[in-house]
Amino acid sequence: MGKIIEEEKQGQSLVLDKKLENTKKLYIESYGCAMNFSDSEIVASILSNNGYNTTQILEEADLVLVNTCSIRDKAEQTIRKRLEKYNAVKRINPRMKVGVLGCMAERLKEKFLDEEKIVDLVVGPDAYKDLPNLLAEVEEGRDAINVILSKDETYGDISPVRLMSNGITALVSITRGCDNMCTFCVVPFTRGRERSREPQSIMSEIQDLWDKGFKEITLLGQNVDSYLWYGGGLKKDFVNASEMQKATSVDFDNLLEMVAVGFPKMRIRFSTSNPQDMHESVLHVIAKYPNICKHIHLPVQSGSNRILSAMNRLHSREQYMTLIDKIKTIIPESSISQDMIAGFPTETEEDHQDTLSLMDYVKYSFGYMYSYSERPGTLAGRKMKDDVTDETKARRLQEIVDLQQKHAWLRSEEFIGKTVEVLVEKLSKKSAAEFSGRNSQSITVVFPKENYKVGDFVNVKIESCTSGTLKGVAVEYSEMN
């Protein structure tokens, strides 16, 4: 349903063009959020310059890396199963080295090396530039670990390779880390404090993508609305910045407008937003520029004020609804999507009904819905008893999913009879005679190929729909070509 990282991409091995001079082989898999996939491109770029070509054949790899996610227990269990597989192959190919990257590396640290002895190196999200040194340690027969979180690393000086790209759409990281200490979330502990990337390095990366023929970028961060560049450093230290730094600072609406003006024929998306940090000025920038997509992913997690407070979400139900009203007023054509957690500790049936009523108020186009999974190290994990039964979580989650499905149908049906602009991304899954792409609202659109090609912007008249897909016929090229 319009996910930034499609489910089928989870765990795919990644490939980039070979360098003739490289003699070693890297097998790298990614799991979790879009930021992890973006980070894998940075890792591959670093290792490409240190003698490694990628391979999709696990058995022939000299180095196997898995970029991990800690957001839910299920994600960690998936990684552990993959590590078992790697080590089975390693017994046949003893020269193979295995490493864990990313959030799970940051969370479990020495456990992988000392207690379980299932990997050779552990590298946290801010230590990828240290990979060549860590690999040298491993070659000398020593385990290697670097999970130090940085106050300034943004990888702005690394030009990422595009590992899983269709050559049309790309992710561009603009922030790292998060300062929002939601009680259920491990991100502040695994990715560190929030810092923003220098604007010119962002513009240079987008220019490079434009020169290579890319047509759409997604500005990426744990919380993009909190973007703030004032010469470097943590966002929390902005209060100590000089008057000159404050006067010349760049926040998210400035950056978004800079990109929209600089690349008028490139489509721009962004993710993820946080309700308390999304200011009205950003909405006016989105409304002003036709190349900024009219879709806002606005996680809410719960519709209950009591649960929002327990989650340490820095917005109330009423504040969230006021923001929704502003979005619908300023950008009436915008789609809105959600994140929702069912069964957070102490959640009552009344709290759950508050969530359903909030969904009825917004009528989201799509969403990402999960039952609560206790994460060790978080405040909820340390201080709150996971007291909602699995059966109750499953029922409430199903009620949320069913209501979302109903709303997705309503939102899809609104497009019937309308003409929408679609960026052609690939062949349809169901027919080689049809193309698939997304409209500005991030809804998938399928239409007969005719003489169009991947990378074209096409106006498509919508004739029918499902809850997650619009179907239509091409009318003409759009003005974005």
Side-chain angles (χ1 to χ4, degrees):
M1 300 203 313
K3 293 185 180 181
I4 294 168
I5 292 298
E6 296 172 22
E7 206 61 49
E8 65 265 22
K9 288 186 178 179
Q10 297 289 314
Q12 278 189 8
S13 59
L14 310 180
V15 174
L16 65 154
D17 292 338
K18 288 181 168 54
K19 288 185 177 179
L20 293 176
E21 66 271 23
N22 287 355
T23 58
K24 291 175 281 190
K25 293 182 178 178
L26 164 69
Y27 180 95
I28 182 168
E29 288 184 350
S30 301
Y31 293 85
C33 68
M35 186 65 79
N36 272 9
F37 283 73
S38 177
D39 279 0
S40 288
E41 295 177 343
I42 290 168
V43 168
S45 182
I46 292 167
L47 292 178
S48 175
N49 293 326
N50 283 271
Y52 286 87
N53 285 326
T54 52
T55 178
Q56 285 191 298
I57 302 171
L58 175 62
E59 290 74 13
E60 70 177 24
D62 299 287
L63 174 63
V64 176
L65 298 176
V66 58
N67 201 340
T68 61
C69 176
S70 271
I71 200 73
R72 300 193 308 280
D73 182 62
K74 182 181 176 184
E76 289 199 357
Q77 296 310 315
T78 300
I79 305 300
R80 289 193 171 280
K81 286 182 180 148
R82 291 305 291 156
L83 289 171
E84 289 174 11
K85 169 68 174 175
Y86 302 156
N87 280 283
V89 175
K90 192 176 179 182
R91 285 192 285 272
I92 303 165
N93 177 12
R95 67 183 169 79
M96 175 192 288
K97 305 300 179 187
V98 175
V100 172
L101 311 176
C103 295
M104 202 169 162
E106 187 66 41
R107 194 177 82 75
L108 295 175
K109 300 174 184 160
E110 293 92 345
K111 185 177 177 69
F112 280 133
L113 287 172
D114 297 338
E115 291 181 35
E116 301 183 19
K117 300 188 185 302
I118 54 174
V119 299
D120 302 291
L121 71 160
V122 177
V123 190
D126 289 347
Y128 297 141
K129 285 181 184 173
D130 199 30
L131 265 166
N133 297 326
L134 295 171
L135 288 169
E137 290 282 307
V138 171
E139 290 300 325
E140 293 293 325
R142 295 184 290 273
D143 292 334
I145 182 169
N146 185 343
V147 291
I148 296 169
L149 289 172
S150 169
K151 292 184 178 181
D152 51 22
E153 182 61 80
T154 63
Y155 298 109
D157 57 334
I158 302 288
S159 179
V161 297
R162 302 297 164 180
L163 290 163
M164 299 186 65
S165 174
N166 52 10
I168 304 300
T169 63
L171 305 171
V172 176
S173 176
I174 66 168
T175 71
R176 296 184 74 82
C178 184
D179 287 349
N180 295 320
M181 300 295 289
C182 300
T183 58
F184 56 82
C185 186
V186 296
V187 166
F189 308 107
T190 61
R191 287 190 172 272
R193 299 304 296 259
E194 188 174 294
R195 63 271 187 203
S196 298
R197 182 176 164 190
E198 194 270 322
Q200 201 49 54
S201 77
I202 296 170
M203 294 295 284
S204 296
E205 182 176 338
I206 298 171
Q207 181 66 57
D208 181 61
L209 290 166
W210 174 254
D211 293 342
K212 290 174 178 173
F214 283 78
K215 301 295 182 68
E216 179 183 286
I217 52 121
T218 299
L219 302 176
L220 193 64
Q222 241 66 52
N223 182 9
V224 290
D225 296 277
S226 197
Y227 177 90
L228 179 63
W229 174 262
Y230 59 98
L234 300 175
K235 183 178 180 181
K236 72 180 183 67
D237 296 332
F238 181 65
V239 291
N240 301 320
S242 69
E243 291 306 311
M244 178 62 76
Q245 284 176 313
K246 289 179 179 177
T248 57
S249 64
V250 178
D251 58 14
F252 185 57
D253 59 335
N254 301 143
L255 179 70
L256 193 58
E257 186 160 35
M258 196 185 305
V259 177
V261 171
F263 302 93
K265 294 295 185 181
M266 184 175 255
R267 214 154 64 161
I268 303 154
R269 299 188 187 276
F270 59 89
S271 185
T272 294
S273 295
N274 215 306
Q276 70 267 20
D277 295 307
M278 175 165 265
H279 303 297
E280 188 174 323
S281 56
V282 171
L283 303 181
H284 287 292
V285 172
I286 297 168
K288 182 177 179 180
Y289 295 98
N291 57 329
I292 302 178
C293 289
K294 306 304 186 269
H295 164 232
I296 296 174
H297 184 58
L298 201 63
V300 63
Q301 310 301 356
S302 173
S304 159
N305 276 333
R306 193 181 69 80
I307 296 297
L308 288 171
S309 177
M311 289 176 165
N312 196 34
R313 299 289 286 174
L314 302 179
H315 61 86
S316 67
R317 171 190 177 94
E318 291 74 24
Q319 288 169 329
Y320 186 89
M321 292 166 78
T322 297
L323 179 55
I324 293 294
D325 292 343
K326 285 183 179 178
I327 293 170
K328 291 182 176 180
T329 300
I330 297 168
I331 324 166
E333 72 274 34
S334 180
S335 63
I336 303 169
S337 53
Q338 46 87 346
D339 286 354
M340 206 73 77
I341 296 173
F344 189 78
T346 76
E347 184 186 71
T348 65
E349 202 59 35
E350 183 181 359
D351 296 323
H352 173 59
Q353 291 302 319
D354 283 346
T355 292
L356 297 179
S357 70
L358 178 69
M359 291 177 69
D360 272 327
Y361 184 83
V362 181
K363 295 183 174 61
Y364 297 99
S365 295
F366 52 91
Y368 310 104
M369 298 148 284
Y370 310 101
S371 57
Y372 173 71
S373 170
E374 184 179 285
R375 310 312 298 127
T378 61
L379 187 64
R382 297 196 313 270
K383 303 284 189 181
M384 301 177 193
K385 183 181 178 183
D386 188 4
D387 59 354
V388 181
T389 67
D390 289 344
E391 292 77 13
T392 300
K393 286 180 185 176
R395 174 183 60 79
R396 290 177 183 169
L397 177 61
Q398 192 58 55
E399 289 176 6
I400 289 170
V401 170
D402 289 345
L403 185 57
Q404 180 55 60
Q405 184 81 348
K406 174 185 170 184
H407 293 157
W409 268 106
L410 289 173
R411 292 304 188 196
S412 290
E413 287 170 346
E414 289 175 347
F415 287 100
I416 294 177
K418 295 180 180 177
T419 298
V420 299
E421 181 186 80
V422 179
L423 173 58
V424 182
E425 296 181 35
K426 58 188 177 182
L427 289 174
S428 165
K429 290 179 184 176
K430 294 185 177 178
S431 172
E434 294 180 325
F435 274 138
S436 172
R438 286 175 297 163
N439 65 0
S440 179
Q441 290 75 18
S442 203
I443 310 296
T444 297
V445 180
V446 173
F447 64 95
K449 287 167 65 174
E450 298 184 19
N451 295 319
Y452 299 102
K453 63 183 185 300
V454 171
D456 285 342
F457 287 99
V458 182
N459 289 329
V460 177
K461 185 171 183 181
I462 304 305
E463 297 180 331
S464 63
C465 69
T466 67
S467 62
T469 304
L470 306 177
K471 300 176 182 179
V473 292
V475 177
E476 59 189 355
Y477 290 105
S478 86
E479 293 180 359
M480 280 286 285
N481 281 293

